[in-house]
């Protein structure tokens, strides 16, 4: 039963992605299917018989509108992701005052000369003392 639910969910998300990707081709399909109605009723130049655009003005408007809507949706998605990343409330940050302040910190450095031998055999084998 759970597997069938996951399959339906996956199918639903796949269809949503396909619809988003096919917005412009669906506008062209809508134009081709309703071409006579668009020419007769929705065309901007329907009152001017000299200009023969056959509804392409309406098609151009719809394509520009679909692209703008897609750009707005992409911008909103980008801004939402940016805000969710910046305002991640997974772990709240709490400012704490220190209980006591330390005075001076003493910093000590240890230095080992690279000219000193680090091998134990250097103490045993050395040149003869004259």
């Amino acid at each position: 039963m759970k597997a069938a639910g996951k399959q339906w969910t996956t199918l639903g998300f796949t269809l949503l992605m396909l619809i988003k990707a096919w917005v412009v081709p669906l506008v062209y399909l809508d134009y081709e299917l309703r071409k006579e109605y668009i020419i007769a009723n929705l065309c901007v130049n329907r009152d001017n018989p000299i200009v023969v655009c056959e509804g392409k003005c309406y098609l151009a408007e719809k394509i520009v509108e679909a692209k703008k809507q897609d750009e707005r949706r992409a911008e909103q998605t980008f801004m939402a992701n940016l805000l969710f990343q910046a305002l991640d409330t997974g772990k709240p940050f709490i400012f704490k005052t220190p209980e006591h302040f330390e005075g001076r910190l003493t910093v000590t450095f240890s230095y080992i000369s690279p000219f000193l031998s680090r091998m134990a055999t250097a103490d045993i084998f050395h040149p003869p003392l004259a």
Side-chain angles (χ1 to χ4, degrees), residues 33-48:
L33 291 177
R34 301 184 320 148
K35 191 171 188 176
E36 292 81 22
Y37 175 76
I38 291 171
I39 293 170
N41 299 321
L42 301 176
C43 184
V44 177
N45 297 320
R46 67 180 176 264
D47 298 330
N48 189 357

Side-chain angles (χ1 to χ4, degrees), residues 11-54:
L11 181 64
F13 283 131
T14 305
L15 287 174
L16 284 174
M17 288 187 337
L18 285 175
I19 289 172
K20 183 180 176 186
W22 286 78
V23 169
V24 175
L26 287 176
V27 170
Y28 280 108
L29 180 65
D30 178 50
Y31 170 74
E32 289 297 326
L33 291 177
R34 301 184 320 148
K35 191 171 188 176
E36 292 81 22
Y37 175 76
I38 291 171
I39 293 170
N41 299 321
L42 301 176
C43 184
V44 177
N45 297 320
R46 67 180 176 264
D47 298 330
N48 189 357
I50 298 171
V51 179
V52 181
C53 71
E54 295 181 353

Side-chain angles (χ1 to χ4, degrees), residues 3-125:
K6 288 181 182 179
Q7 289 176 348
W8 281 109
T9 305
T10 304
L11 181 64
F13 283 131
T14 305
L15 287 174
L16 284 174
M17 288 187 337
L18 285 175
I19 289 172
K20 183 180 176 186
W22 286 78
V23 169
V24 175
L26 287 176
V27 170
Y28 280 108
L29 180 65
D30 178 50
Y31 170 74
E32 289 297 326
L33 291 177
R34 301 184 320 148
K35 191 171 188 176
E36 292 81 22
Y37 175 76
I38 291 171
I39 293 170
N41 299 321
L42 301 176
C43 184
V44 177
N45 297 320
R46 67 180 176 264
D47 298 330
N48 189 357
I50 298 171
V51 179
V52 181
C53 71
E54 295 181 353
K56 294 198 191 239
C57 54
Y58 174 79
L59 177 64
E61 287 177 5
K62 287 297 181 181
I63 290 173
V64 169
E65 184 180 315
K67 287 183 180 180
K68 283 183 182 178
Q69 185 178 14
D70 191 36
E71 288 174 3
R72 274 188 260 127
R73 190 177 303 127
E75 182 179 328
Q76 288 173 352
T77 304
F78 173 74
M79 291 302 290
N81 288 339
L82 186 64
L83 286 174
F84 285 139
Q85 288 175 2
L87 301 174
D88 184 19
T89 59
K91 186 176 181 183
F93 183 78
I94 300 171
F95 289 99
K96 293 183 180 180
T97 58
E99 295 176 9
H100 65 281
F101 290 99
E102 294 183 16
R104 288 187 163 199
L105 292 175
T106 56
V107 179
T108 58
F109 295 102
S110 62
Y111 175 74
I112 299 174
S113 175
F115 299 110
L116 295 176
S117 177
R118 297 178 197 254
M119 295 175 47
T121 57
D123 293 335
I124 299 170
F125 300 108

